[in-house]
Amino acid sequence: MSGPSRYPETYAAWQRDPEGWWMAQAAAIDWVRPPSRALFAGRAPFFEWFADGLVNTCWNAVDRHVAAGRGGQTAIILDSPLTGRVRRLTCADLRDRVARLAGALAARGIGAGDRVVIYMPMVPEAIEAMLACARIGAVHSVVFGGFAAPELATRIDDCTPKAILAASCGLEPGRVVRYKPLLDAAIAAAAHKPDFCVILQREAGTATLTPGRDHDWDAFQEGAPPADCLPVRGSHPAYILYTSGTTGQPKGVVRPTAGHLVALDWSMGHVYGVGPGEVFWAASDVGWVVGHSYICYAPLIHANTTVLYEGKPVGTPDAGAFWRVIAEHRVACLFTAPTAFRAIRRDDPRGEHVRLHDLSAFRSLFLAGERADPDTIRWAEAQLGVPVIDHWWQTETGWAIAANPLGLGLLPVRHGSPAVPMPGYDVQVLDEAGRPLPPGGLGAIAIRLPLPPGTLSTLWKADARYRKGYLDRFPGFYETGDAGCRDADGYLYIMARTDDVINVAGHRLSTGAMEEALAAHPDVAECAVIGVADDLKGQVPLGLVCLSRGSARPHEAIVAECVDLVRERIGPVADFKRAVVVERLPKTRSGKILRATMARIADGLPWTMPATIDDPAILGEIAAALAALGYPRR
Ligand code: COA
Ligand code: AMP
């Protein structure tokens, strides 16, 4: 990148006239009826963007590119080392397939505003399902395949879908994950029942269909008339995506249609610096927000080719997998989590695989989802010779809060910082009393309202929870749940969560949900789950359990059952593999478990005796129990 960055004047232009600035960006979207203005603040602190515009997401992601002569351009490349397949779909193919699926859904009574749960692995049909919903104004809610049946059931009960679109199975290295039994168990457990399910049969493991409820994916669509794109209001929900909060009840983030289109399109050119026709690869999963925004929607809206990768960074077959994909498909920009790079580096510290591939088309690597440790960034820079850019965002925001916007010209990179706020975000570091802190001050990171287009409007059917969880603590601000600071030049540093959410391999998980699962064990009287540092995954969960009086069973058996319980209730993705039996848990005098202090002890970090602790001796017992497990490990 040459020349000075255009970031300062771009951010200043947004600050001068936020609404005018966003109206100008909205011109990149095809509207059936353009919005009369950008911001609708009549229900503050609930805000809407472009609310009275009429627009369709699928039109903007697919049909308009065909109409503009890009019908033959590749829209999706499926690269699946797990099945040994590479498959390409053009924009025209995608339009036809999506229109047919949408038509079949409409013929079965799915209409605007109806919810559709999608429980699918990394197959093009997952993207087609998302777009088919968007085409007819249905609201999808994709559930990540690594979640177990009870998590799926919770989401079904919360968003009450009319239909569920699922696959017979997903693939993990060395094992077939049968989705259908999980789906059946979830529907059996849920109070709400969908009208019907549509099941994509995969060769690796076909499923038995439930007569009267389940339809085969292909048969379901036979003879269905293709559906046109239905214009919806800008404020219409595009999707609901559940994310972990402090409790076991996940939060249904609602993403309104028009802001999503405008912000994602802007981000492709200005944050990621890619132009239409280029190949963009987000190595994540469609079940996460990164997959929603940067596998499915943003690249397609921006007329890029998106790569859908069914594999891992290592082991499918080796640590050269990412370089092979980049070389084979001429990927310009890769977006993944730092964990993936830690895994690659562990297997190939000298980067020998990197040099076996032609990476001449590759221009940038973006990392997000967890803190990017400077060591990993330096390694990636040295191996790849391209900018390695940390950026910070969350499911709620849907796109970067802070980044080094490559498309505007790279700012100086500062390791350990995701750089600077993007236009639309007025980011402040606040003290306990909600006062902005000077540079260097460590505090809660908050964003002045309104949040920009593309972010959440509320939680699904839970306005009060949205206010309580995000808006009440600092009036006039959205509380991110992250703590950190900023330097004198405005670069942000994200240090830790302020709640009981942990980040395992870039996956956001609730320790509260794991505690609820553990509490179901008959021998467990009380428990706490903390996140402990892990060289590969950033953090992993660790359980501390107190047994019921009279429990005489071997601790190893109880620990093993606890591990199984979390896997059954939450899913393998929680990676809950370690737990220890302790006599007592440390608490404040008001009964709050001191999780953060235990986590610092486990990580070998300096800690202070909380002034409010009930019985200081318990922390010594915890330190001894952790030491017996080998903590601290570094
Ligand atoms: N369906 C079912 N199970 C799944 C799953 C899915 N979609 N995704 C993961 N799992 C399972 C895994 O098989 C594993 O199970 P196991 O305990 O039986 O081995 C468990 O969940 C943990 O998975 P994962 O976190 O992927 O760990 P891993 O040890 O298999 O792989 C990495 C480690 C670093 C290679 C992997 O975490 C990775 O690729 N991370 C990249 C991060 C990423 O994509 N983040 C998304 C946000 S950007
Ligand atoms: P998710 O909603 O799953 O995307 O997780 C969002 C959370 O992940 C944020 O609130 C942060 O705690 C963490 N996170 C995401 N990106 C970064 C980053 N670049 N640096 C530090 N933490 C990050």
Side-chain angles (χ1 to χ4, degrees):
M1 230 22 74
S2 58
S5 170
R6 288 181 289 118
Y7 167 76
E9 61 263 33
T10 307
Y11 193 77
W14 164 73
Q15 281 178 308
R16 269 195 310 277
D17 177 14
E19 295 186 47
W21 192 86
W22 280 115
M23 277 304 263
Q25 312 318 319
I29 295 305
D30 266 13
W31 300 89
V32 176
R33 184 182 72 204
S36 63
R37 59 181 204 273
L39 183 64
F40 291 72
R43 284 182 60 240
F46 296 89
F47 296 93
E48 292 179 332
W49 289 95
F50 315 113
D52 66 358
L54 280 181
V55 69
N56 182 277
T57 296
C58 187
W59 172 269
N60 277 281
V62 185
D63 298 53
R64 69 162 165 166
H65 306 316
V66 180
R70 290 184 183 271
Q73 178 179 307
T74 304
I76 302 176
I77 300 171
L78 166 76
D79 188 304
S80 169
L82 288 172
T83 58
R85 289 187 74 187
V86 173
R87 208 175 126 196
R88 289 180 177 76
L89 278 179
T90 65
C91 287
D93 293 336
L94 185 62
R95 181 203 49 195
D96 294 347
R97 292 172 65 89
V98 169
R100 198 166 53 244
L101 177 58
L105 289 169
R108 292 271 172 179
I110 305 293
D114 290 336
R115 273 82 58 208
V116 174
V117 160
I118 299 173
Y119 187 53
M120 297 182 80
M122 293 287 283
V123 289
E125 286 82 354
I127 292 186
E128 290 167 15
M130 294 163 82
L131 292 168
C133 289
R135 196 170 185 90
I136 54 175
V139 182
H140 64 67
S141 188
V142 182
V143 179
F144 176 63
F147 281 123
E151 288 288 320
L152 179 56
T154 307
R155 288 155 174 78
I156 291 172
D157 274 337
D158 198 70
C159 74
T160 58
K162 255 193 181 173
I164 300 184
L165 308 186
S168 57
C169 68
L171 299 173
E172 282 291 293
R175 92 189 145 98
V176 173
V177 183
R178 295 190 183 273
Y179 281 27
K180 186 56 182 9
L182 298 173
L183 175 65
D184 291 343
I187 294 175
H192 172 82
K193 310 292 176 197
D195 292 353
F196 63 92
C197 300
V198 188
I199 310 293
L200 176 76
Q201 296 282 21
R202 299 191 77 192
E203 270 169 34
T206 52
T208 311
L209 303 187
T210 306
R213 188 195 74 189
D214 297 345
H215 301 270
D216 168 76
W217 191 271
D218 296 323
F220 176 75
Q221 299 180 52
E222 250 161 47
D228 284 336
C229 295
L230 179 81
V232 296
R233 279 177 58 84
S235 53
H236 184 79
Y239 68 77
I240 305 164
L241 177 59
Y242 288 88
T243 189
S244 299
T246 303
T247 68
Q249 177 70 25
K251 304 192 278 196
V253 164
V254 176
R255 187 90 56 217
T257 299
H260 184 231
L261 283 163
V262 174
L264 290 187
D265 187 67
W266 185 85
S267 74
M268 288 304 284
H270 300 89
V271 177
Y272 301 100
V274 290
E278 292 194 298
V279 182
F280 187 87
W281 176 25
S284 177
D285 188 286
V286 285
W288 304 118
V289 70
V290 175
H292 279 60
S293 293
Y294 292 105
I295 296 175
C296 179
Y297 288 112
L300 294 178
I301 292 164
H302 202 60
N304 292 104
T305 298
T306 187
V307 178
L308 192 66
Y309 175 70
E310 190 180 36
K312 299 268 175 180
V314 292
T316 56
D318 56 33
F322 274 23
W323 324 132
R324 187 221 14 109
V325 173
I326 291 173
E328 203 167 310
H329 307 305
R330 311 278 306 155
V331 172
C333 178
L334 167 66
F335 175 168
T336 191
T339 301
F341 267 74
R342 289 195 293 269
I344 294 169
R345 180 186 181 185
R346 191 183 57 179
D347 282 13
D348 182 19
R350 288 199 295 276
E352 281 158 9
H353 282 286
V354 181
R355 277 163 277 291
L356 298 177
H357 298 276
D358 168 15
L359 304 187
S360 55
F362 187 50
R363 290 205 307 272
S364 62
L365 167 66
F366 280 77
L367 299 174
E370 57 175 323
R371 194 178 136 74
D373 53 291
D375 215 33
T376 301
I377 294 197
R378 272 192 288 271
W379 182 83
E381 284 172 340
Q383 297 306 325
L384 299 171
V386 299
V388 177
I389 300 175
D390 179 17
H391 61 327
W392 167 60
W393 50 295
Q394 26 182 235
T395 305
E396 289 85 343
T397 66
W399 65 288
I401 308 167
N404 193 330
L406 185 62
L408 292 172
L410 196 65
L411 293 164
V413 171
R414 294 191 184 166
H415 292 153
S417 166
V420 291
M422 290 298 90
Y425 293 99
D426 177 353
V427 180
Q428 299 291 331
V429 182
L430 305 178
D431 70 10
E432 285 282 313
R435 286 176 304 235
L437 283 162
L442 188 65
I445 309 186
I447 303 164
R448 198 184 301 280
L449 294 173
L451 292 175
T455 57
L456 83 172
S457 55
T458 188
L459 298 177
W460 179 250
K461 295 223 166 108
D463 283 351
R465 189 176 180 200
Y466 173 60
R467 289 179 90 128
K468 185 163 176 283
Y470 298 98
L471 308 182
D472 284 356
R473 171 103 169 80
F474 301 115
F477 289 90
Y478 164 90
E479 186 188 3
T480 63
D482 285 316
C485 60
R486 83 160 121 212
D487 68 17
D489 299 318
Y491 279 59
L492 288 160
Y493 292 79
I494 314 301
M495 311 306 286
R497 290 287 302 186
T498 56
D499 55 16
D500 294 324
V501 162
I502 59 170
N503 205 311
V504 180
H507 306 138
R508 174 167 157 186
L509 297 164
S510 161
T511 55
M514 292 184 227
E515 289 174 6
E516 282 178 30
L518 292 176
H521 191 290
D523 286 306
V524 172
E526 205 179 15
C527 63
V529 173
I530 58 173
V532 295
D534 182 82
D535 282 344
L536 176 65
K537 298 194 172 187
Q539 277 185 310
V540 289
L542 171 70
L544 297 109
V545 296
C546 304
L547 302 187
S548 319
R549 204 164 291 152
S551 164
R553 301 185 48 234
H555 290 181
E556 306 77 61
I558 294 173
V559 164
E561 288 157 12
C562 284
V563 168
D564 288 347
L565 202 53
V566 176
R567 197 176 171 95
E568 278 157 28
R569 300 249 170 151
I570 298 181
V573 68
D575 204 21
F576 184 89
K577 295 201 169 120
R578 301 144 208 90
V580 59
V581 174
V582 293
E583 276 296 313
R584 305 178 291 172
L585 288 170
K587 293 182 187 165
T588 62
R589 282 188 285 277
S590 59
K592 196 174 174 310
I593 296 175
L594 292 162
R595 294 180 184 80
T597 310
M598 290 193 286
R600 293 190 75 83
I601 294 173
D603 289 347
L605 296 172
W607 57 278
T608 46
M609 185 65 71
T612 53
I613 193 163
D614 186 34
D615 180 353
I618 301 179
L619 283 176
E621 296 168 20
I622 296 293
L626 290 170
L629 268 189
Y631 292 99
R633 296 206 160 160
R634 54 182 177 195

